Amino acid sequence: MTKEPDFDAVVIGAGISGLYQAYRLREMGYRVLGVEGSDDIGGVWHHNRYPGCRIDSESEVYGYFWNDQLMQEWNWSERFAAQPEVLRYIHRAAEIMDIRKDYIFDAKVNKAVFDEKNNFYTIGFQQPYRAPLTARFVFSALGPLSTPQMPNLPGINTFKGESYHTANWPRDPNGFGPAKLDFSGKRVGVIGVGSTGVQTIQEMAKVAGHLTVFLRDPNWCTPLGNGRMTQERMDYIKSNYQEFTAKCDASLAGFPHEFIQKNLFDVPKEERDATLEELYEGPGFSLWLGAYQDVLSDPDANKYVSEFVAQKIRERVKDPQTAESLIPKDHGFGMKRVPLETGYYEVYNQENVSLVDLHATSITCITPEGIETSDGLHELDVIIYATGFDAVKGSWNRIDIRGVDGVALKEEWDKGLTTYMGMQTPGFPNFFMLVGPQSGATFCNIPRCSAMAIDWLSDMMIQAKEAGVQRIEPELAAAESFTLYATKLQGKLLLGQTNSWFTGVNQNIPGRDKREVLLFVGGNPRFQAYCNDVRENNYKGYVMS
């Protein structure tokens, strides 16, 4: 005789995607429980409260678009909203969904084991006071950038000053932003120059007595183009939300930018350069996702744009040697996610800022007094680690997920990542991933693209409920076919030939030096078409029983 689970569904995670998925399941009549490892909702926006943190999506296309009340009442204050405002928005959305009551907090999942006899998962928690629970279906909304990664350096815990990781920043106990820390007059060191590092460096340069940036691999950064959101523009947006969302849905990555349907060298040089100048000034990802159609796939076109951006860096940074250190040599423009900035390069012209090029020297260890390099000791009062995440797979790898015959998901993925539309892996029935490896929402404007994946999954779950389905699993052949499709698409873009978190390479993790297909880079419309074809053909590739 089989047992009944405690819940029909469990949603792991209370970020933007998890909250919406839990809401959809509840509204369609599932007995659902949300579990969140932290003490509150918000996901990355709850944890990442470092100074300068903000979205790189235009505010009007970042969020929920299924609730007219929220869309009409909410007024963004900036074109690219800062972290406190984004978190405040999420809290307001949760109020409208009345979803908090369906969650338990301080419940960090460390195990999910499939029971083949009963077709449900037993979920265990890191906190010893949390009893295990059972659920028929598991929806893991863990986030592709939610497992912080410290650098692999000796002596980190010996430092006597203040140290912070940007993804675990002290919080304001009475607000949505960072704690009110005073860095004025202090000697601050920042390790890391990805999107987070760039934002942090811009703010630290304003207040630190001296700021030392430890640079290993520079990124191509372009202006954010931020500004105040006028009420007139906000009113226009509210009257035309459908226009904005339709543009995002038709674009490669869910942003309001469209590639120019011409090849770069088919355009006269004067016109081409004028266009690049305009795109460089923003807003947002204008140059990355709105340039000529061949810039991300043709090496010569990419080299041209890379040299254009390199020249911008040389113009903005006064010291030629510093400028050259800030120009990437290991990848072309757009091969990694492009950090957006406001006066970032000008920071290096300030007398209170110095750059340590880790290609010319190297960090040997962290000492009680600061950071030791092969050139000597840099004495510091504060070290900020802007060293990113164990991206995309990391959040799933940290949980002991067991499927049919007790097979571990991490071990299966170590052999080679195979998914069906980035939503499930064969051999792991009833276990769904939101914004995970090979999902169309991962290389995308996540709130917009994840909502479409959640709506698709929710349609399937409605049919499953009506049919009394207790087990949903992808066929191996279907998953292999989808993964091959994702592999071919990635191979067409230059980013697929570049070492980055996009391709699973992480220098801070032993053994993570081989590229793999973690993203679906074929674009939003192509991913939607694939998913819709599966649905219209009676969910082909799935076995439901």
Side-chain angles (χ1 to χ4, degrees):
M1 186 173 175
T2 58
K3 298 176 185 174
E4 282 297 305
D6 299 328
F7 296 93
D8 298 324
V10 158
V11 177
I12 308 173
I16 288 176
S17 301
L19 294 173
Y20 181 48
Q21 181 66 80
Y23 172 75
R24 287 297 315 267
L25 289 164
R26 185 192 73 193
E27 293 302 292
M28 66 178 80
Y30 279 95
R31 292 176 302 131
V32 63
L33 178 72
V35 299
E36 166 58 45
S38 184
D39 59 347
D40 210 342
I41 64 171
V44 294
W45 298 108
H46 179 60
H47 293 287
N48 289 257
R49 300 195 188 199
Y50 58 87
C53 181
R54 66 176 61 247
I55 55 177
D56 50 19
S57 312
E58 284 76 358
S59 298
E60 65 267 18
V61 300
Y62 193 91
Y64 295 119
F65 299 94
W66 51 270
N67 186 279
D68 198 56
Q69 177 189 348
L70 180 62
M71 290 162 66
Q72 293 305 317
E73 79 169 43
W74 191 264
N75 292 300
W76 294 106
S77 68
E78 293 181 274
R79 297 187 71 175
F80 296 86
Q83 174 272 327
E85 188 170 10
V86 178
L87 187 56
R88 195 178 302 117
Y89 170 88
I90 296 169
H91 277 248
R92 177 59 186 136
E95 287 176 8
I96 291 173
M97 288 187 277
D98 191 24
I99 197 66
R100 192 185 291 274
K101 69 180 188 321
D102 298 303
Y103 268 82
I104 59 173
F105 296 93
D106 295 309
K108 194 174 185 70
V109 173
N110 63 4
K111 185 176 287 191
V113 179
F114 187 62
D115 182 326
E116 293 180 63
K117 180 183 176 185
N118 295 297
N119 281 325
F120 61 55
Y121 279 87
T122 300
I123 296 169
F125 299 95
Q126 187 172 303
Q127 292 87 347
Y129 56 81
R130 290 277 182 208
L133 57 85
T134 55
R136 178 80 65 215
F137 301 103
V138 176
F139 293 81
S140 52
L142 306 178
L145 297 173
S146 63
T147 302
Q149 182 66 49
M150 289 293 283
N152 189 16
L153 295 171
I156 281 178
N157 294 315
T158 69
F159 181 59
K160 288 179 179 175
E162 304 167 58
S163 60
Y164 308 98
H165 192 287
T166 49
N168 190 30
W169 198 268
R171 306 177 207 148
D172 179 355
N174 303 310
F176 292 102
K180 293 172 175 60
L181 304 175
D182 185 7
F183 296 101
S184 57
K186 293 183 178 177
R187 299 166 299 176
V188 179
V190 176
I191 301 177
V193 291
S195 296
T196 296
V198 166
Q199 291 178 338
T200 305
I201 289 162
Q202 289 171 177
E203 295 305 309
M204 288 298 116
K206 296 173 185 175
V207 295
H210 191 88
L211 171 65
T212 306
V213 177
F214 294 85
L215 170 85
R216 184 178 64 187
D217 298 316
N219 284 282
W220 300 100
C221 308
T222 59
L224 175 64
N226 194 24
R228 189 173 66 86
M229 178 75 81
T230 64
Q231 191 58 52
E232 291 77 15
R233 177 163 174 77
M234 200 67 239
D235 291 341
Y236 175 80
I237 289 165
K238 289 179 181 181
S239 301
N240 296 275
Y241 260 123
Q242 286 186 328
E243 174 192 322
F244 285 100
T245 55
K247 190 171 183 179
C248 290
D249 294 350
S251 71
L252 176 79
F255 294 95
H257 307 289
E258 298 173 16
F259 288 103
I260 299 166
Q261 296 303 303
K262 295 177 184 175
N263 290 337
L264 184 139
F265 291 112
D266 290 344
V267 178
K269 186 177 188 309
E270 191 174 317
E271 178 188 337
R272 168 202 323 162
D273 290 348
T275 299
L276 294 180
E277 285 283 349
E278 184 181 336
L279 293 172
Y280 178 79
E281 293 302 328
F285 290 129
S286 296
L287 184 60
W288 186 27
L289 300 174
Y292 296 99
Q293 63 183 3
D294 60 341
V295 168
L296 300 183
S297 56
D298 178 72
D300 291 331
N302 185 264
K303 185 177 179 181
Y304 190 93
V305 175
S306 299
E307 184 51 39
F308 169 84
V309 180
Q311 190 55 37
K312 289 291 183 187
I313 297 171
R314 294 184 187 108
E315 291 169 8
R316 293 173 61 184
V317 179
K318 291 177 182 175
D319 178 61
Q321 186 175 343
T322 301
E324 290 308 312
S325 294
L326 290 164
I327 295 170
K329 309 297 191 295
D330 64 337
H331 68 286
F333 177 78
M335 301 305 94
K336 299 181 182 181
R337 189 178 179 94
V338 176
L340 301 179
E341 47 82 22
T342 304
Y344 168 66
Y345 289 110
E346 286 72 16
V347 160
Y348 296 97
N349 299 329
Q350 296 178 204
E351 289 185 6
N352 70 324
V353 177
S354 57
L355 179 69
V356 177
D357 185 344
L358 297 179
H359 286 287
T361 183
S362 59
I363 296 176
T364 54
C365 65
I366 310 294
T367 75
E369 290 73 37
I371 297 178
E372 184 84 49
T373 71
S374 53
D375 285 346
L377 174 67
H378 296 267
E379 294 186 3
L380 300 167
D381 303 305
V382 182
I383 299 177
I384 297 173
Y385 298 98
T387 48
F389 304 88
D390 182 359
V392 188
K393 292 196 308 183
S395 303
W396 280 268
N397 282 345
R398 72 183 178 194
I399 299 173
D400 185 12
I401 301 162
R402 304 267 169 176
V404 174
D405 296 329
V407 171
L409 182 65
K410 183 180 186 304
E411 292 175 6
E412 283 298 288
W413 282 359
D414 284 347
K415 294 176 193 170
L417 186 63
T418 304
T419 77
Y420 197 32
M421 298 177 290
M423 297 181 191
Q424 273 190 290
T425 291
F428 296 83
N430 297 357
F431 188 90
F432 299 95
M433 298 173 292
L434 308 178
V435 201
Q438 298 178 356
S439 165
T442 305
F443 182 66
C444 213
N445 169 14
I446 288 177
R448 182 66 195 148
C449 301
S450 72
M452 288 187 286
I454 289 164
D455 288 340
W456 189 94
L457 272 175
S458 297
D459 287 346
M460 184 168 76
M461 295 309 294
I462 289 169
Q463 293 201 23
K465 190 170 182 18
E466 290 171 353
V469 168
Q470 296 193 346
R471 181 166 170 152
I472 303 174
E473 183 177 6
E475 296 171 346
L476 178 60
E480 288 177 339
S481 176
F482 173 78
T483 299
L484 180 61
Y485 180 46
T487 302
K488 286 180 177 177
L489 290 169
Q490 182 167 302
K492 292 179 180 178
L493 293 183
L494 296 173
L495 68 81
Q497 300 153 38
T498 304
N499 292 343
S500 73
W501 68 260
F502 279 171
T503 54
V505 176
N506 190 321
Q507 295 181 50
N508 289 313
I509 302 174
R512 291 284 291 279
D513 53 358
K514 293 192 180 103
R515 292 180 201 150
E516 53 188 337
V517 181
L518 294 187
L519 308 177
F520 182 90
V521 298
N524 208 7
R526 201 174 263 159
F527 185 72
Q528 289 180 64
Y530 197 103
C531 294
N532 291 339
D533 179 64
V534 169
R535 178 174 56 200
E536 288 158 14
N537 286 280
N538 200 27
Y539 294 102
K540 67 179 180 183
Y542 282 104
V543 177
M544 301 190 194
S545 57

